[in-house]
Amino acid sequence: MATTLQGAPEQTRNSGEGLFVPDYVFVEPAALDYPLGQELYRRYQKEGVPIQMTTSHNQVRGIPGETDVEKYRNAKRTLVIGVRKTLKFEPSKPSAEYALPLATGCVGHCHYCYLNTNVGTRPYIRVYVNTDEIFAQALKYMQERPEEITRFEAACTSDPVSIEHITGNLKRAIEFMGQQEYGRLRFVTKFHHVDSLLDAKHNGHTRFRFSMNADYVIRHFEPGTSSFERRLEAAGKVARAGYPLGFILAPLYRFDGWEAGYSEMLERLSEQLVPEAMEDLTFELIQHRFTKIAKNLILQRYPKTRLEMNEADRKYKWGKYGKGKYVYPDQQAKALQHHLEAEIARLFPKARVEYFT
Ligand code: SF4
């Protein structure tokens, strides 16, 4: 049985700098059929965190709070230990073929986060204990594409590094993919808690990405995550551990002085990043976008946010199934893309920009 908390560093409540400790724990009975479920149950019982049973990890009732905002905040401090029953993986274009479902929900409070709508009324943190079944399913997907690389994205519905000290699932996934000739893993994080992953047998099959942004965006819109410096320091450790490294610059946001702000961020990155990281480095560029539903939820949950979401200033981009989103008008988006790509070429001549979207 794995003991994922042994030797864990400092723990604090509700801060990106320390490790997340839940205020409330819910457990699905079926999770106790798995060693990891039993281990987590015993751990939180010993630590005196209130534990309740729940019939389904999709319908947790009883998270305290008088108002919706209070309930939302408490949900973000609630851990739900469950079994992933749906083993149909979602597609994850453009960065991978499939999403690898290890967890759902995140302890961070980024105002613009896609999880605001993605997990809607269930913002609690769900971790899955049946990893062997999840990996067996990943293997099936790989077998459907013989002799072709299949990429799995482990950060589609969560920030897996922020909860790794709880389950150890990310390390398991990295080592599983390290053994697959045609399997590759990718994930992205805004957290610096990477130490337990440095000795994983990754075999170069996992691209470890950090989400970075201009100081203005991190300061105003990313509470509850690690600072720029901590992320950068963690990126150095990861590169030295031989992982292929990447940066996702998202959301690219046009604040006053954005050109100078993004240049400064990239300059700091290039000056401080260890040389090992430069050899196999990727960038992914994603402009800020929002939907009407997301805007309403963000304004409800973070009423003082300065995040600019004025539909009249944006272009409506139709998506699949008639669901669209607001992005920057073409000229503004192009200006973002050109500036970022030019600065990356200047400062990271060997790096590859995978896409701008
Ligand atoms: Fe969302 Fe990522 Fe921020 Fe977590 S760290 S709240 S997943 S944007």
Side-chain angles (χ1 to χ4, degrees), residues 65-218:
E66 296 290 316
T67 61
D68 284 351
V69 173
E70 227 174 273
K71 279 188 193 135
Y72 171 74
R73 300 221 143 226
N74 284 335
K76 284 258 185 187
R77 296 152 69 129
T78 299
L79 179 72
V80 180
I81 300 164
V83 173
R84 177 78 186 189
K85 291 186 200 79
T86 320
L87 289 175
K88 184 176 179 301
F89 293 3
E90 294 292 328
S92 177
K93 293 286 178 188
S95 79
E97 276 69 43
Y98 293 104
L100 185 72
L102 297 178
T104 309
C106 178
V107 304
H109 275 279
C110 305
H111 296 183
Y112 54 74
C113 179
Y114 59 103
L115 292 180
N116 273 313
T117 43
N118 223 355
V119 297
T121 51
R122 294 169 291 169
Y124 41 80
I125 291 97
R126 282 166 268 178
V127 295
Y128 307 120
V129 295
N130 55 329
T131 34
D132 288 346
E133 290 159 22
I134 295 168
F135 296 158
Q137 182 63 34
L139 204 55
K140 280 191 198 156
Y141 283 119
M142 283 179 236
Q143 286 160 353
E144 284 173 9
R145 296 160 46 92
E147 316 229 338
E148 236 187 301
I149 295 287
T150 302
R151 297 166 303 165
F152 295 87
E153 169 67 64
C156 282
T157 51
S158 172
D159 186 311
V161 173
S162 71
I163 45 175
E164 177 61 4
H165 61 291
I166 296 174
T167 63
N169 275 349
L170 192 54
K171 188 172 191 176
R172 288 187 192 97
I174 291 169
E175 297 203 326
F176 165 76
M177 223 49 95
Q179 294 165 4
Q180 309 306 321
E181 191 178 355
Y182 294 107
R184 296 292 181 273
L185 185 68
R186 304 158 72 78
F187 56 85
V188 60
T189 184
K190 286 188 173 72
F191 290 82
H192 70 282
H193 312 298
V194 299
D195 289 359
S196 69
L197 303 171
L198 299 179
D199 66 351
K201 295 177 194 68
H202 58 77
N203 203 16
H205 288 186
T206 290
R207 186 167 293 275
F208 208 130
R209 294 121 87 218
F210 287 85
S211 168
M212 292 295 198
N213 219 311
D215 184 54
Y216 177 93
V217 176
I218 295 182

Side-chain angles (χ1 to χ4, degrees), residues 301-339:
R301 292 169 173 175
Y302 307 103
K304 292 193 184 139
T305 189
R306 295 185 190 195
L307 196 63
E308 181 282 311
M309 293 177 286
N310 185 1
E311 291 89 342
D313 295 337
R314 300 291 183 111
K315 167 185 151 174
Y316 191 71
K317 187 175 166 191
W318 289 98
K320 271 188 208 158
Y321 319 114
K323 280 188 204 158
K325 55 199 158 200
Y326 293 93
V327 295
Y328 286 114
D330 291 345
Q331 224 180 353
Q332 293 182 15
K334 281 267 169 273
L336 268 175
Q337 182 177 5
H338 286 154
H339 182 69

